[in-house]
Amino acid sequence: MSVLLAISFSHLLNDTIQSLIAAIYPVVKQSFHLNFTQIGLITLTFQMTASLLQPMVGHFADRRPQPYALAVGMCFTLGGLVLLSTAGSFPLLLVSVALVGVGSSVFHPEASRLAYMAAGSRHGFAQALFQVGGNAGSSLGPLLAAMIVVGEHAQRRLLWFSIAAILAIVVLWNVGHWYRTNTYRLKPRPRRPAHAGQPAISPRKVGWSLAILVALMFSKFFYLASMSSYYTFYLIGKFHLSIQSAQLYLFVFLISVAAGTFIGGPLGDRFGRKYVIWGSILGVAPFTLLLPHAGLFWTAALSVVVGLILSSAFSAILVYAQELLPGKVGLIAGLFFGLAFGMGGLGSAVLGRLADLTSIGFVFQVCAFLPLIGLLTGFLPNLETAGAKRVHGST
């Protein structure tokens, strides 16, 4: 538990820094005279550097664990943050967010491996506890930005957050000592069918299942991209809020995302990953469809419901995929965290271009239909879970 809490806290610090990128969009848009396409390119640069390297880092670490890579990766994040606070041009902004992305590409698959190592039999809970730290950090970023990154030298005030990066480096270096002496915990667990006598899942079925999970990730993270990158602009444009007020509404949404992430892991352990995935992706559709037509109060209320439901899927998707391919913990973590970042970045760029051609309101109307892709969950096989084991044992 101490290891899980340490990496969850480090995840909070890491994602607080990363969330500053989106939180300062209104500031850099005004100071650098950017359009929505350029805002989308900033997100795309960060997300692509974060996503493309993650599967490679995870695959390499599966073969040769690197206990202190987490601390080294955080050094890249620190360098990117310092450059972001002093960047005087759009190209330097892109370089700075790329450095933060490199740090993320190292942190997420390796920290996910640590969560797996420390989980015992409660892998859903462990992943949820790890991820809730990141979601809490993502929600704190806009709130802290609203309080700190303001005024005439708003961009330079980002330097205050280097304290968080240095603290994370210290914590992760110490966690590396535990990692080095506990790599034996990464022995693969055999994948079992959900019911006695059920045949093993074929490689073809595994491939189709992974493809469905990728489609569900597309649905989830394209919608989250619309909220994390453009929700403040939507609120400012439709309800004429100030930048600070819009960031507070974004904070409320991201806090609900953090809460939903933590709830989803234990539910997956108890009732099965597939049911959590089904309820999360498809179950959020009625609320996303209502949100573009609501007033300010109901927009805020619906955003909380959407955040709670939609975010509960990721830990279930990740552990489900790890159960499909036992022994590939780092590869799966890198692949799915990479997909999360890559799809979020691609979604931000595509939606930014769509916003320039139409309007932010139209973007939210289109994205409202994305959760209907959750219907594909019905084609996933039922894998055995801790909850299923208890049910079968009692009968």
Side-chain angles (χ1 to χ4, degrees):
M1 181 59 71
S2 61
V3 173
L4 289 175
L5 290 174
I7 60 173
S8 182
F9 176 65
S10 300
H11 202 183
L12 182 149
L13 297 175
N14 180 79
D15 284 24
T16 296
I17 295 170
Q18 292 179 8
S19 67
L20 293 173
I21 296 173
I24 66 168
Y25 281 168
V27 174
V28 297
K29 187 178 187 296
Q30 183 177 2
S31 59
F32 289 92
H33 307 289
L34 305 180
N35 57 33
F36 285 118
T37 300
Q38 289 172 308
I39 292 292
L41 285 175
I42 294 174
T43 303
L44 179 63
T45 300
F46 164 65
Q47 305 284 32
M48 292 305 289
T49 53
S51 64
L52 292 178
L53 293 177
Q54 286 200 42
M56 292 184 284
V57 171
H59 180 62
F60 177 79
D62 279 336
R63 303 176 66 179
R64 297 183 61 184
Q66 304 293 319
Y68 300 101
L70 284 164
V72 174
M74 190 59 64
C75 291
F76 281 93
T77 299
L78 175 60
L81 177 63
V82 172
L83 181 58
L84 181 62
S85 68
T86 58
S89 66
F90 182 66
L92 281 179
L93 283 177
L94 296 181
V95 173
S96 65
V97 299
L99 286 173
V100 177
V102 170
S104 177
S105 71
V106 176
F107 177 82
H108 286 94
E110 280 294 86
S112 182
R113 282 163 56 83
L114 267 172
Y116 185 95
M117 291 166 64
S121 61
R122 301 178 65 190
H123 290 276
F125 169 78
Q127 288 295 335
L129 181 57
F130 162 60
Q131 289 173 32
V132 77
N135 290 130
S138 296
S139 64
L140 282 175
L143 179 64
L144 294 175
M147 295 187 297
I148 298 173
V149 188
V150 294
E152 184 178 353
H153 302 290
Q155 187 178 343
R156 289 188 177 274
R157 293 175 182 269
L158 288 170
L159 275 174
W160 283 104
F161 292 90
S162 62
I163 298 172
I166 294 170
L167 178 59
I169 291 170
V170 173
V171 172
L172 292 172
W173 185 264
N174 284 280
V175 167
H177 301 327
W178 184 88
Y179 188 158
R180 185 180 58 185
T181 59
N182 285 271
T183 53
Y184 68 91
R185 296 173 180 264
L186 288 168
K187 292 180 181 179
R189 297 177 298 129
R191 184 180 67 246
R192 297 186 180 124
H195 304 287
Q198 179 179 338
I201 300 173
S202 67
R204 183 177 180 181
K205 186 68 171 179
V206 169
W208 277 112
S209 298
L210 290 175
I212 291 172
L213 293 177
V214 169
L216 297 176
M217 293 278 287
F218 164 81
S219 168
K220 171 182 167 65
F221 284 99
F222 256 63
Y223 189 85
L224 287 179
S226 71
M227 294 294 287
S228 60
S229 293
Y230 302 112
Y231 187 44
T232 53
F233 295 110
Y234 175 77
L235 294 172
I236 291 169
K238 185 173 181 178
F239 302 110
H240 310 292
L241 300 183
S242 66
I243 293 176
Q244 287 76 17
S245 296
Q247 287 174 331
L248 291 176
Y249 278 90
L250 178 60
F251 166 73
V252 171
F253 167 73
L254 293 175
I255 278 290
S256 70
V257 170
T261 298
F262 184 73
I263 293 170
L267 286 178
D269 285 336
R270 179 65 181 87
F271 299 106
R273 326 286 177 207
K274 178 178 176 180
Y275 301 107
V276 173
I277 297 169
W278 182 280
S280 174
I281 304 294
L282 185 61
V284 79
F287 306 102
T288 60
L289 290 169
L290 285 172
L291 190 145
H293 309 287
L296 179 59
F297 172 80
W298 285 109
T299 295
L302 287 169
S303 74
V304 171
V305 177
V306 168
L308 282 169
I309 298 176
L310 190 59
S311 61
S312 64
F314 187 61
S315 59
I317 290 174
L318 181 60
V319 177
Y320 185 98
Q322 289 174 339
E323 291 174 345
L324 279 173
L325 290 173
K328 303 292 184 181
V329 178
L331 176 62
I332 290 297
L335 176 62
F336 277 82
F337 274 109
L339 284 170
F341 280 91
M343 289 181 179
L346 181 60
S348 182
V350 170
L351 296 176
R353 182 58 178 167
L354 181 61
D356 281 334
L357 295 174
T358 57
S359 68
I360 289 292
F362 182 75
V363 167
F364 274 73
Q365 291 176 8
V366 171
C367 290
F369 292 91
L370 287 173
L372 296 178
I373 296 175
L375 290 167
L376 293 174
T377 307
F379 296 99
L380 290 174
N382 292 312
L383 302 181
E384 187 177 41
T385 65
K389 289 178 183 178
R390 287 193 290 272
V391 172
H392 298 322
S394 65
T395 56

